[in-house]
Amino acid sequence: MEGEDISLIQGQGRPQTLQRRQSMEKPPECHEPPLTVVVFGNSASVQYEPENLLLGKEKPCFKTAEISRIVPSQREISERHISVINIIALHEALQNFPSTGHYIGQLVNENEIHAFICVLRLGQLTDADKMGLEWLQKAFGDKVLQFVMILFTYESEEECNTIKDDLKKNPVLEQLLEKCGGRYHTCNKKMNKQSEMSELMDKVMHLFNENKQQCYTGQRRERQCLQKSENESGE
C-alpha cells in the first residue's frame, strides 16, 4: 500500500510475502500507571552503580549550570515507568548559589510530582539530614510534607531488622518521621533489589491515592507562596 512502511521477507522455498515493520521496535509496555518522584537527602545514603534500579550509576554534581538542566531520568521498576528527579545534596549546592532558587519553580512547573523521597542512612541521622527536610519545606512550602516519604537505607540485614528499635530510641528521628505522616520504607543502599524497589513504588502509589490522586505541581507551589506572602503582610 502507498505510504506504508513495509519490507520484503524471503521465505525458504516459498514466494516472497509482504510484512509491515511494526511492533519489533516498540519498547516494552508498562502495565502500571507511570509515576514521577523527586529523590533528595543525604548522598552518603546511596551507592551509585549500574545495578541501582532507582538512581542508576551517575552521581549528580550540582553547580550553577547543572542546576539549570535538571531533567528526570527514565527508569522501569516492576513493569512500571518511573521518572526520577534526583536532587540529592541539591540543598547544599543552593547554599552556595542562593540565586538559583528559581530553578526549583522551573522544576515543578515542568513535572507533576507524585512523591518526594527523602533518603537517609539508617541509624546515622545528621544535622544536614534535618536541614534537608527544612530546605524542602522552604523551597516547596509546608504542605509538601503530605507528599514526602522517608527512605532509610542500610548495608546489612541486621541494620534493617532494628529499625523499629532505632525509632523508639531516637526521639529526633521519630519526630522527623511524624512530620512525614509516619511514612517510611527501607532498602539496601545499592537499591538493587527488585522486591524492595517494587514495594517502594507500591507505597508511592498508595500515597498518591491518599492524596486523592493529586500531584505536587507548580500551581500548588504558587498558591502556597502567595498564601504565605499574604499571611506575612497581614501580620
Side-chain angles (χ1 to χ4, degrees), residues 50-201:
E51 290 75 24
N52 188 315
L53 297 172
L54 186 64
L55 302 177
K57 64 179 181 179
E58 298 295 333
K59 180 179 179 179
C61 179
F62 292 113
K63 298 178 182 178
T64 307
E66 282 79 2
I67 291 172
S68 67
R69 297 198 300 266
I70 296 175
V71 294
S73 63
Q74 307 305 315
R75 319 293 294 178
E76 187 176 322
I77 298 175
S78 297
E79 297 186 335
R80 190 194 299 273
H81 182 79
I82 314 294
S83 293
V84 181
I85 304 171
N86 183 0
I87 58 171
I88 289 178
L90 176 60
H91 64 282
E92 297 172 359
L94 289 180
Q95 290 176 2
N96 299 323
F97 305 106
S99 62
T100 57
H102 67 278
Y103 291 124
I104 297 298
Q106 178 182 333
L107 189 67
V108 295
N109 285 335
E110 295 174 353
N111 300 278
E112 294 187 348
I113 300 166
H114 294 81
F116 293 78
I117 300 175
C118 180
V119 185
L120 302 176
R121 182 77 172 85
L122 187 60
Q124 297 180 10
L125 186 67
T126 65
D127 290 337
D129 293 334
K130 291 180 282 186
M131 288 176 59
L133 196 59
E134 291 172 3
W135 168 81
L136 189 79
Q137 289 177 258
K138 290 178 182 178
F140 295 91
D142 290 337
K143 292 186 178 180
V144 73
L145 292 177
Q146 74 186 75
F147 296 90
V148 176
M149 178 181 300
I150 304 291
L151 178 60
F152 295 110
T153 65
Y154 64 87
E155 288 187 348
S156 66
E157 295 291 343
E158 289 76 14
E159 286 181 312
C160 183
N161 294 334
T162 62
I163 182 170
K164 292 184 179 179
D165 292 333
D166 291 340
L167 291 175
K168 293 177 182 177
K169 295 175 183 177
N170 193 330
V172 177
L173 184 60
E174 194 171 14
Q175 186 179 20
L176 192 70
L177 197 57
E178 284 180 5
K179 274 189 172 184
C180 305
R183 296 179 292 271
Y184 74 89
H185 185 60
T186 58
C187 76
N188 188 301
K189 69 181 296 185
K190 295 180 180 180
M191 298 183 174
N192 58 359
K193 292 186 178 181
Q194 186 72 235
S195 59
E196 291 180 339
M197 291 296 99
S198 178
E199 186 178 352
L200 173 62
M201 292 305 122

